[in-house]
Each structure stands twice: as C-alpha cells, then as structure tokens.
Amino acid sequence: MDTAATREFLRAQMANRPESRLQDLCKALYQSTFGCGHLISDVAAAEQSIREELAAGVPSCRDIEPLDGLWDRVPLGILAGVLTPATLARAFALSAAMPREDTAALEARLDVLRALLAEGALPYNAAEAEAELARWQMAGYPACHHSADYRAAYHPAYRVLHRHYTHLLPLLETIDGALAAQERVLLAIEGGAAGGKTTLSRELSELYPDSAVFHADDFFLRPEQRTPERFAQPGGNMDRERLEAEVLVPLRRGEAAVYRPFDCGTMTLRPPVTVRPARLNIVEGAYSLHPSLEKYYDLSVFLDVTPETQRRRILSRNGAEWGQRFFERWIPLETAYFQETATVARCTLRLKEDV
C-alpha cells in the first residue's frame, strides 16, 4: 500500500463528494481492499440486479472511478451505450474471483484515515470518528453501505470491478456492438510473444459463453514447410493457408471448423478436432491478422507489451534456454511482421499493457 496515494485518495473523495460521511470513506477503503467483497455464485442474478437498477432510470454518469488499489467503481451509465448488462454482470462475477488484499491492508488504510482525522484534514469529530471505527473493528469489518446523505446527493449506481476487467471494457463494448449487429463475429487477437493473447482469449470465452477459441500455435509450419524462402515472408512462419482453409472459411460459411493442431513435441499434426461455429469466434496469436486473412475478421485487437515485461514473462514461462530462442529467433520475426504489415494500424483496437 502506498500511504501517500491513500492520503490523496481520501482527500479527493472529500473534495469530489463533500456530502460523504465517515462510513462512505470506510466503504471506499473497504472496496479498495476487498473489491466486490464476496464471490458471485449466480451470474444470472447479478445481471437481473443490474437490470432492476436500470429500470429505475439509466444513470447519466459514465466516468469510471478508480479506488485506492486495483479496483474501480464502474457506473451503470456505461450501459447507455452498446455494452450489455449480461457482459457487465459476467465481468463483475469474474472480478469477484480475483485476488484481493487482507484485513491488515484495510487497517493500514484506516491508519491513514486516522492520521487525517488527527490533523483536522477531514470534517469529522475525531473522537466520534474513532469510536465509530472501533465499533466497525469489533464487528469484524463487515461490508458497509453508503450513508443516506451520500445516496441523496450522488445517487450511486455502480459495480466494483477489478482493474483488469475495467481495462477490457473498450474491447467488450466493441464486441457487444458487433454481436448486436450480426449473428456471428470473428475476432483476431494479435500481439507479440507473452503479450497476454492466450489469457485474453480464455477470459473472453468466460465472458461470452457462446464462443470458440482457435490458437495460431496450432498452425505452426511443418518441418517440410520451413524453408528460407518461407521464413523470408512477413508472417511466413505460420501455416496461414491451413488456418484459412480449415478454420476461417468454414466459420464464415457458418460451418464447423475441422483442423489438425500442430504438435510441437513431435513436429507432426495431431488427430483432427471439430469445433462448431459460435456467436463469438476468436483466433489468438501472432500472424492471425495476416493481410491475406484480414478479410475474414469482423474485429481485431492488438495487445501491447513492453520489452521488459515480455522478457520477464518469457523467462518465467519458458526458462533461460528456450527463452533465448524467443529472443534470438521468434521475436525478431514477429517484430518484422508487425512493421512490414502495419499490424497495429490495421487492428480495430489497441490495448496497452494491463495492470
């Protein structure tokens, strides 16, 4: 925890919402520490709750409010656009399963609150505030509600999301907009090695139950295809012809994709697998948006990763020996492909490195 950041956060809370009472500050610190506060076991119920709040009137606020940590208050006003209550509810449920801090972290934040009270920097009686904090501690720090004054002044209507999912909201809005306009969507996830492409594809499959994921790694070149001429082509180290014929063309026709994944251990193709077309079809991996394949996709996203983060992740995932092969062989090929085909510029959306 950053004490200076917590002080600034509490000061900003009072400056932006002067009708806040002590329990509102406590709620903000509780959410900063524990996020949603509990697991969401019933996504349908979470969605219904959102819809019931919206029925009372869609809030006008669309500004996401960062909390003091890795959590954000996401106003229901964002649903005035194309993002659906179902997607927000699933993001809320997945956020609830994310790691959170502990009671010691909450108490450290409360110590900052006490210091501000002692300095007279907050408009509350210090002795009364300390008694209120002591009662909350004796009760075991249960989740607290906004005060009546806060609700009357600010009409809070939000869900607390982990910042990882807040980071994805522009992409989720783009996907929801496409799904509202057509029966089936094909999405390409591009980016460099260890950029989070596989992780994002898994998370999207959790957010969109009717989805199918295809991995560019399943379309590596077979040994006989690995010629100098092939590797000289931008993106030439993926069997894009097979990806096109076995996955993209059938999906565009609304037919099942039947393909044989490449086995890196044996350098051969495994037995065929069959995947039915879903509403959201995701192809993840570098070279998935090769210019010869671009026409098949409805959406595409490029994931940025800094060289420092990329190196750390590769060494952690692959070890020093295999990692060196990435640094000397595969990453230069990816970089050349991105530059020569203007991959970033061709993508619908670009996501900076996540928290």
Side-chain angles (χ1 to χ4, degrees), residues 226-238:
R226 302 186 177 199
T227 65
E229 295 76 16
R230 180 72 182 205
F231 281 120
Q233 302 173 18
N237 50 316
M238 183 186 74

Side-chain angles (χ1 to χ4, degrees), residues 153-179:
Y154 308 116
H155 310 288
Y158 59 80
R159 291 297 181 271
V160 175
L161 265 59
H162 191 277
R163 195 152 298 152
H164 175 71
Y165 288 98
T166 308
H167 177 73
L168 296 182
L169 285 176
L171 174 59
L172 303 186
E173 286 185 306
T174 303
I175 292 172
D176 281 0
L179 288 171

Side-chain angles (χ1 to χ4, degrees), residues 195-349:
K197 300 179 296 297
T198 302
T199 298
L200 176 59
S201 69
R202 173 182 53 77
E203 291 170 341
L204 290 177
S205 70
E206 295 171 336
L207 286 160
Y208 298 92
D210 189 359
S211 61
V213 177
F214 304 88
H215 305 283
D217 287 359
D218 287 336
F219 296 88
F220 280 156
L221 296 177
R222 300 186 299 280
E224 65 272 18
Q225 296 173 298
R226 302 186 177 199
T227 65
E229 295 76 16
R230 180 72 182 205
F231 281 120
Q233 302 173 18
N237 50 316
M238 183 186 74
D239 193 344
R240 59 182 181 273
E241 296 86 355
R242 196 162 66 84
L243 174 61
E244 179 179 22
E246 298 179 2
V247 174
L248 297 177
V249 169
L251 290 179
R252 266 293 167 220
R253 294 173 177 168
E255 301 169 357
V258 182
Y259 66 99
R260 299 181 65 188
F262 180 80
D263 188 323
C264 291
T266 63
M267 301 293 284
T268 62
L269 299 181
R270 295 197 295 269
V273 296
T274 301
V275 181
R276 69 169 183 83
R279 288 214 68 209
L280 176 62
N281 302 275
I282 304 162
V283 181
E284 68 84 15
Y287 318 114
S288 58
L289 194 68
H290 189 279
S292 67
L293 306 177
E294 186 175 2
K295 62 186 176 183
Y296 294 101
Y297 295 103
D298 304 294
L299 303 173
S300 52
V301 59
F302 189 93
L303 302 187
D304 278 321
V305 61
T306 64
E308 296 76 17
T309 300
Q310 184 181 58
R311 183 175 186 85
R312 172 175 51 80
R313 289 177 178 174
I314 288 174
L315 290 174
S316 175
R317 183 185 70 186
N318 301 97
E321 181 179 350
W322 277 98
Q324 197 60 33
R325 297 189 185 186
F326 274 88
F327 305 136
E328 294 177 354
R329 176 67 169 164
W330 304 118
I331 291 177
L333 286 172
E334 289 178 352
T335 301
Y337 159 75
F338 296 147
Q339 293 175 346
E340 293 182 40
T341 69
T343 310
V344 175
R346 292 186 295 110
C347 282
T348 310
L349 197 66

Side-chain angles (χ1 to χ4, degrees), residues 33-69:
T33 306
F34 302 118
C36 306
H38 56 280
L39 290 174
I40 309 300
S41 58
D42 189 339
V43 177
E47 178 184 348
Q48 180 59 30
S49 175
I50 291 172
R51 292 187 181 278
E52 289 172 358
E53 286 191 54
L54 291 176
V58 179
S60 59
C61 177
R62 292 175 55 89
D63 296 332
I64 293 170
E65 178 187 353
L67 292 167
D68 179 43

